[in-house]
Amino acid sequence: MDDAELQRAIKAACFDEEADFSALPPRMAVYRRLVRNTLEGVTHKLLPRTREHMGEDFDRDIARFLAERGPRTHYLRDVPQELVAWASERWLREGRARWLADLARHEIASFTVSVVPYVAEPRAAEVALDRPLLLTSLMRIERFAWAVHEPAAPPPDRDVALLYHRDREHALRTLELSPLAAALLERAHLPLKDAIAAACDATGVAMNDETLASIARLLADLGERGILLGARES
C-alpha cells in the first residue's frame, strides 16, 4: 500500500459510515473513534442549542456529513461552520423546523466573534458627514428570519438584524438592531451622509430631524460600547 492509498484508506476508515478495517494497520478503530470524538465534541460545544432541539438527529447528521463530504478546513474550530453550511438546505428539504438553520448560524456567529483575533485598528478621525464610519473589527452583523437570540423554542417568527461584538473586557455581546440602524451600519463604508440617505431609502424612513436625532443617539451609544471608533481618515 503506497502513501496515497494509505491516506485514502485512513480517510475512509475515519469518515465512512461502513468502514472496512481488514486492510488497515492495527488499532485503526481506536484512531477512528479518536478522530470522530474530537470532531463531534467541538461541534457539540459550538452548537449546543441546535443539538438540544434536534436530539439524536443532530448526531446522525454529523455522521452523514463526515461520510458524504468530510471537513475541508485545517482548523478544528471551523468544522461546525462547514457542517451548518452543508446541512442547512438538507434540513429544509427534510422538513425540519425552518428556524433551526438560523439558530445554527447564530451560534456560529457568536463563536466566531468571540474568538476573532484582535488586530490594531486604523487611526480614527472625528465623525463627520463626509467620512465613512470606522467600526471595530471585533464585530459582525447577521440577518435572520427568526429571533434566534431569544431563548424561546421555537423563537419568535420575525426578521431581525443582530450585531455581535466584544465589549471592552472582550466578552461577547449581542444587540438587536432596528431596520434603520442595520441598514446604516451595513453601509458604513460610504461617507456618512450617503450612508444615512441610502439607509433611509432602503427602510422607507423619512430623513427628517427626528430621524437624524435617532441616528445621533445610535452613534453615541455605539461609541460608548466601543463599536464605533470614529471616522476613517481617508
Side-chain angles (χ1 to χ4, degrees):
M1 179 180 294
D2 62 24
D3 289 346
E5 291 174 329
L6 178 60
Q7 290 176 6
R8 286 193 294 271
I10 291 174
K11 179 178 182 296
C14 289
F15 298 142
D16 284 1
E17 292 189 82
E18 299 294 336
D20 178 12
F21 297 99
S22 61
L24 297 176
R27 299 183 181 178
M28 185 54 69
V30 176
Y31 182 71
R32 171 188 170 89
R33 191 68 260 159
L34 176 64
V35 170
R36 295 177 74 91
N37 281 345
T38 300
L39 296 175
E40 291 167 3
V42 71
T43 304
H44 292 172
K45 183 176 182 179
L46 268 60
L47 299 168
R49 291 178 59 198
T50 307
R51 183 183 183 229
E52 177 185 357
H53 294 300
M54 292 186 66
E56 293 181 356
D57 285 343
F58 185 79
D59 292 329
R60 282 193 286 268
D61 280 346
I62 294 177
R64 289 173 56 199
F65 166 71
L66 295 178
E68 295 179 19
R69 181 185 183 278
R72 299 292 189 269
T73 178
H74 294 290
Y75 300 100
L76 183 61
R77 69 185 189 187
D78 291 338
V79 172
Q81 183 173 350
E82 292 189 345
L83 168 67
V84 172
W86 173 87
S88 293
E89 290 186 3
R90 288 168 173 77
W91 290 345
L92 292 177
R93 290 199 305 267
E94 294 169 1
R96 307 274 176 86
R98 297 183 64 83
W99 50 270
L100 277 173
D102 272 10
L103 175 60
R105 287 201 301 115
H106 166 62
E107 293 191 290
I108 292 294
S110 298
F111 171 77
T112 299
V113 173
S114 70
V115 299
V116 64
Y118 174 78
V119 296
E121 305 283 7
R123 181 176 176 179
E126 186 175 349
V127 173
L129 288 173
D130 61 346
R131 289 176 173 169
L133 297 176
L134 177 60
L135 305 175
T136 175
S137 61
L138 304 179
M139 62 147 284
R140 68 189 289 176
I141 296 172
E142 295 284 349
R143 290 183 178 268
F144 303 98
W146 308 80
V148 287
H149 60 306
E150 298 186 7
D157 180 4
R158 73 170 189 273
D159 292 339
V160 295
L162 300 182
L163 186 154
Y164 305 83
H165 74 102
R166 299 221 299 265
D167 64 19
R168 299 185 191 281
E169 284 71 45
H170 290 277
L172 177 71
R173 304 296 180 190
T174 304
L175 298 176
E176 182 176 346
L177 299 173
S178 70
L180 179 63
L184 175 65
L185 296 182
E186 288 171 341
R187 293 163 175 79
H189 59 286
L190 300 174
L192 180 56
K193 63 179 185 300
D194 297 334
I196 292 173
C200 288
D201 183 64
T203 56
V205 175
M207 190 167 58
N208 52 31
D209 289 345
E210 182 180 351
T211 298
L212 295 177
S214 71
I215 290 174
R217 290 192 296 271
L218 168 69
L219 298 182
D221 180 60
L222 295 177
E224 290 179 2
R225 295 176 185 272
I227 298 169
L228 175 62
L229 304 180
R232 294 190 179 275
E233 289 193 321
S234 59

